[in-house]
């Protein structure tokens, strides 16, 4: 079975070794220990770390990720299944809302006049202000 050190595992997934140690300190990932106390990671840890990074990219908080990792490590139960289902549904809704906001932002960015060498920012300031107000109110409305 292949094993990696902290530095090797961190390099595999493109994070700093300190970040991996932080995840361990907070029990988000639990590496194996050799007799000399050194941390070692295996293929299962690599999959767990990839899962953690995907969830982090999906805007899960570290406490939410820790909770999910605990659920994945423990035996399934009805309460665990319900809680994980609720959390995943909530995060899916948040991601969909974020996608909607980003889609609107992208469309509005395409509508803004482009600044060229002759025209400076002050000539499109009103359009930019309108753009910001529109997106800001849209985001705030969805957060309430």
């Amino acid at each position: 079975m292949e094993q990696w050190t902290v530095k090797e595992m961190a390099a595999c997934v493109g994070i700093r070794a300190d970040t991996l140690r932080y995840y361990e300190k907070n029990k988000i990932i639990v590496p194996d220990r050799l007799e000399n106390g050194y941390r070692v990671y295996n293929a299962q840890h690599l999959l767990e770390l990839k899962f953690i990074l995907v969830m982090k990219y999906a805007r899960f908080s570290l406490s939410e990720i820790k909770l999910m990792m605990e659920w994945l490590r423990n035996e399934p139960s009805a309460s665990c299944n319900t809680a994980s289902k609720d959390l995943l549904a909530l995060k899916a809704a948040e991601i969909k809302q974020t996608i909607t906001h980003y889609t609107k932002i992208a469309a509005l960015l395409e509508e803004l006049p482009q600044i060229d060498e002759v025209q400076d920012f002050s000539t499109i300031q009103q359009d930019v202000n309108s753009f910001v107000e529109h997106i800001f109110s849209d985001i705030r409305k969805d957060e309430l």
Side-chain angles (χ1 to χ4, degrees), residues 3-140:
Q3 294 183 329
W4 296 277
T5 65
V6 171
K7 288 183 180 181
E8 291 168 337
M9 179 59 74
C12 279
V13 295
I15 63 172
R16 295 173 29 154
D18 289 345
T19 301
L20 187 50
R21 287 185 195 100
Y22 179 81
Y23 292 163
E24 178 195 0
K25 178 182 174 187
N26 288 284
K27 308 270 191 266
I28 297 169
I29 192 163
V30 182
D32 297 328
R33 294 276 183 165
L34 298 176
E35 287 181 20
N36 61 9
Y38 288 177
R39 299 168 184 90
V40 289
Y41 297 87
N42 58 37
Q44 179 59 38
H45 294 117
L46 179 60
L47 289 173
E48 288 177 5
L49 191 52
K50 287 178 180 179
F51 176 83
I52 291 165
L53 296 174
V54 168
M55 293 298 103
K56 191 172 175 224
Y57 182 82
R59 302 174 113 191
F60 280 69
S61 69
L62 288 180
S63 61
E64 290 168 333
I65 294 169
K66 179 181 179 180
L67 190 58
M68 291 191 66
M69 295 303 295
E70 289 170 359
W71 291 337
L72 291 172
R73 288 185 193 112
N74 295 325
E75 291 294 318
S77 68
S79 63
C80 174
N81 289 345
T82 300
S84 62
K85 188 175 167 181
D86 292 346
L87 176 60
L88 293 175
L90 174 68
K91 295 311 272 190
E94 287 176 8
I95 290 169
K96 287 176 184 176
Q97 190 59 57
T98 300
I99 290 168
T100 299
H101 289 151
Y102 280 134
T103 302
K104 289 178 182 179
I105 290 169
L108 288 170
L109 286 173
E110 290 172 355
E111 291 176 15
L112 284 176
Q114 299 299 309
I115 299 173
D116 59 29
E117 293 175 16
V118 178
Q119 185 181 26
D120 69 299
F121 184 72
S122 63
T123 60
I124 62 165
Q125 185 67 47
Q126 187 175 6
D127 291 334
V128 170
N129 291 344
S130 175
F131 163 77
V132 169
E133 286 295 331
H134 178 80
I135 292 298
F136 182 81
S137 65
D138 199 38
I139 291 170
R140 285 294 189 192

